[in-house]
């Protein structure tokens, strides 16, 4: 059994090596431009901070490690299409010939949906979320956010929304492989609602508005995923399957 897995492990190592190489190259490119990137990342918070408040760093190495975080996050975004292409190359040997032709649509839509989720987080969720937190804290303390904590929270939200917006793409390929159908997704809908609100509570600031800003789009995307599954792999009752086999 181990001998059978050796080719797959070797292929996985190759794809991981290519992906890591792309990530490292993009990291160094992003590190060179980290200052304007950091300025762009902190803009939503600066717009809601009081006029007499600024972001701070409480340790000498903090700015450097913040620059590393920013560059790693940006490098990941830059390398994402190539990483997704490597992922496809890894799984393609197990696909039929007619399924392998979806490589470029997969890379395009998977990258596009991730960027769309990140953009929704940046332009909608982050401004509302941090406006709530700053206004709440301003009543009792002077707000001076730490730069590294903000960047960590910012990247978590961006990546979380990016992954969440991949739901229709993942559903399409699972349906294409016959692993899910519209009936499966419909029957799981009530549990999906609970999971979506739990995810929204974990990834967003603790106010109802920003949690709804994440939960509502995800519920809509789940509905879109049901439609996609119905088109790609519609549910067939057992009676119909028996008739077809006869």
């Amino acid at each position: 059994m181990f001998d059978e897995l050796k080719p797959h492990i070797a292929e996985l190592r190759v794809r991981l090596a290519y992906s890591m190489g792309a990530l490292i190259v993009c990291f160094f490119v992003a590190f060179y431009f980290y200052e304007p990137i950091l300025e762009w990342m902190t803009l939503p918070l600066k717009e809601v901070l009081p006029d007499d408040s600024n972001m701070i760093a409480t340790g000498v190495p903090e700015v450097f490690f913040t620059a590393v975080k920013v560059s790693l996050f940006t490098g990941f975004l830059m390398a994402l299409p190539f990483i997704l292409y490597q992922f496809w190359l890894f799984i393609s040997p197990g696909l039929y010939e007619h399924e392998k032709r979806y490589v470029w649509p997969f890379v395009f839509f998977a990258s596009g949906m991730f960027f769309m989720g990140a953009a929704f987080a940046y332009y909608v969720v982050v401004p509302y979320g941090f406006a709530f937190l700053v206004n709440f804290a301003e009543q009792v303390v002077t707000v001076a956010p730490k730069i590294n904590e903000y960047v960590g929270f910012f990247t978590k939200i961006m990546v979380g929304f990016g992954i969440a917006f991949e739901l229709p793409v993942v559903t399409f390929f699972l349906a294409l492989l016959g692993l899910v159908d519209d009936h499966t997704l419909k029957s799981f809908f009530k549990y999906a609602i609970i999971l979506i609100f739990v995810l929204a509570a974990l990834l967003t600031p603790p106010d109802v508005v920003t949690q709804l800003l994440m939960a509502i789009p995800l519920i809509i995307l789940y509905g879109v995923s049901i439609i996609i599954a119905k088109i790609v792999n519609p549910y067939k009752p057992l009676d119909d399957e028996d008739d077809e086999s006869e």
Side-chain angles (χ1 to χ4, degrees):
M1 181 178 179
F2 181 73
D3 291 336
E4 295 177 356
L5 292 176
K6 279 185 177 180
H8 301 290
I9 295 175
E11 180 68 14
L12 178 60
R13 287 176 178 171
V14 171
R15 299 307 161 197
L16 288 176
Y18 281 133
S19 299
M20 286 300 299
L23 181 60
I24 291 171
V25 171
C26 292
F27 166 82
F28 282 108
V29 174
F31 191 82
Y32 185 78
F33 297 101
Y34 91 88
E35 290 186 5
I37 296 172
L38 181 59
E39 184 69 23
W40 173 80
M41 291 174 66
T42 57
L43 187 60
L45 179 59
K46 289 180 177 178
E47 289 182 345
V48 298
L49 282 176
D51 294 335
D52 58 344
S53 179
N54 291 301
M55 304 186 73
I56 62 171
T58 56
V60 174
E62 185 173 333
V63 176
F64 173 78
F65 287 114
T66 299
V68 171
K69 287 182 182 179
V70 170
S71 303
L72 187 60
F73 170 70
T74 308
F76 170 74
L77 294 182
M78 293 169 60
L80 181 61
F82 183 79
I83 294 173
L84 291 171
Y85 178 64
Q86 294 301 311
F87 171 76
W88 183 272
L89 291 180
F90 174 69
I91 66 171
S92 61
L95 302 177
Y96 294 107
E97 287 300 322
H98 71 278
E99 294 171 343
K100 293 180 180 180
R101 61 189 174 92
Y102 289 105
V103 53
W104 296 119
F106 168 75
V107 172
F108 176 79
F109 284 105
S111 302
M113 291 302 294
F114 189 97
F115 294 143
M116 187 181 299
F120 181 82
Y122 180 84
Y123 290 106
V124 179
V125 178
V126 171
Y128 280 99
F130 282 104
F132 166 80
L133 293 177
V134 170
N135 291 333
F136 182 83
E138 193 182 4
Q139 306 300 319
V140 291
V141 297
T142 300
V143 180
K146 290 184 64 178
I147 184 67
N148 67 328
E149 292 180 356
Y150 170 78
V151 169
F153 191 58
F154 176 91
T155 53
K156 184 180 78 168
I157 291 178
M158 296 282 279
V159 172
F161 270 81
I163 294 174
F165 271 57
E166 296 285 359
L167 182 59
V169 179
V170 173
T171 300
F172 173 82
F173 286 97
L174 290 178
L176 187 67
L177 296 173
L179 299 177
V180 298
D181 54 35
D182 56 306
H183 178 73
T184 304
L185 294 178
K186 288 177 183 177
S187 62
F188 190 73
F189 183 73
K190 58 184 178 182
Y191 304 106
I193 296 295
I194 297 174
L195 292 175
I196 286 171
F197 275 97
V198 170
L199 181 66
L202 292 174
L203 291 180
T204 60
D207 68 289
V208 176
V209 174
T210 50
Q211 290 175 10
L212 288 176
L213 285 174
M214 182 174 193
I216 291 175
L218 289 183
I219 293 172
I220 295 173
L221 289 173
Y222 193 90
V224 172
S225 298
I226 294 175
I227 297 173
I228 290 173
K230 187 175 182 61
I231 295 172
V232 178
N233 184 35
Y235 171 68
K236 296 179 181 179
L238 292 177
D239 293 340
D240 293 348
E241 293 179 356
D242 294 338
D243 294 340
E244 290 180 2
S245 62
E246 293 176 0

